[in-house]
Amino acid sequence: MATLVHGVAVACRPRPARPRGLPEQASSALLVRTLGIRDAAIGALMATASGGTPQRTAVVCRTAAGLWDALLFGGLVPGRAQRAKAASAALAWAALCGWTLTGEDRPAAPLAEDATMAALRVVQSTTRART
């Protein structure tokens, strides 16, 4: 449900969701708005899927979308610190969604663990770069 709400909010008002450092121009707003619509569509599917494989597929799609966003913003946003922040936010969404793929009787999903560890490395490297 959080993905659905966040996606609708971003689609309606892309400016606050635009990663800092991404130029404020019509193409940036269009990109962010498009990502919001994508997230809203996947979020609606996640919220309405009838458990099992359909719901897991929707969650995997949202996790993959978060990883794609990390690559996208990690390459588009100028400035190392801004890229790291934008990529970390996307990786955090990916990790959160991926984490839901785990169950009480299963170990953490490798995708969620990888996304979490990648986000931590990005944040650590940004912190080291400032000192």
Side-chain angles (χ1 to χ4, degrees):
M1 188 59 82
T3 297
L4 173 60
V5 172
H6 180 264
V8 169
V10 168
C12 292
R13 293 192 45 111
R15 188 166 186 239
R18 181 179 48 85
R20 182 166 283 150
L22 193 63
E24 190 170 341
Q25 54 192 17
S27 59
S28 296
L30 178 62
L31 170 67
V32 174
R33 187 167 278 158
T34 301
L35 295 177
I37 292 168
R38 178 208 61 197
D39 289 350
I42 294 173
L45 183 59
M46 289 169 59
T48 59
S50 60
T53 302
Q55 191 164 42
R56 287 180 61 81
T57 302
V59 173
V60 166
C61 287
R62 180 57 187 98
T63 303
L67 294 173
W68 171 252
D69 291 350
L71 289 172
L72 179 72
F73 290 129
L76 284 180
V77 176
R80 181 178 176 170
Q82 286 80 11
R83 274 195 308 272
K85 288 176 187 176
S88 294
L91 287 172
W93 273 102
L96 180 64
C97 290
W99 197 261
T100 66
L101 294 173
T102 65
E104 293 178 15
D105 58 340
R106 294 187 308 261
L111 185 59
E113 286 182 17
D114 292 346
T116 303
M117 294 309 296
L120 287 173
R121 283 193 296 273
V122 167
V123 170
Q124 289 171 346
S125 68
T126 304
T127 304
R128 281 189 215 119
R130 290 186 189 168
T131 58

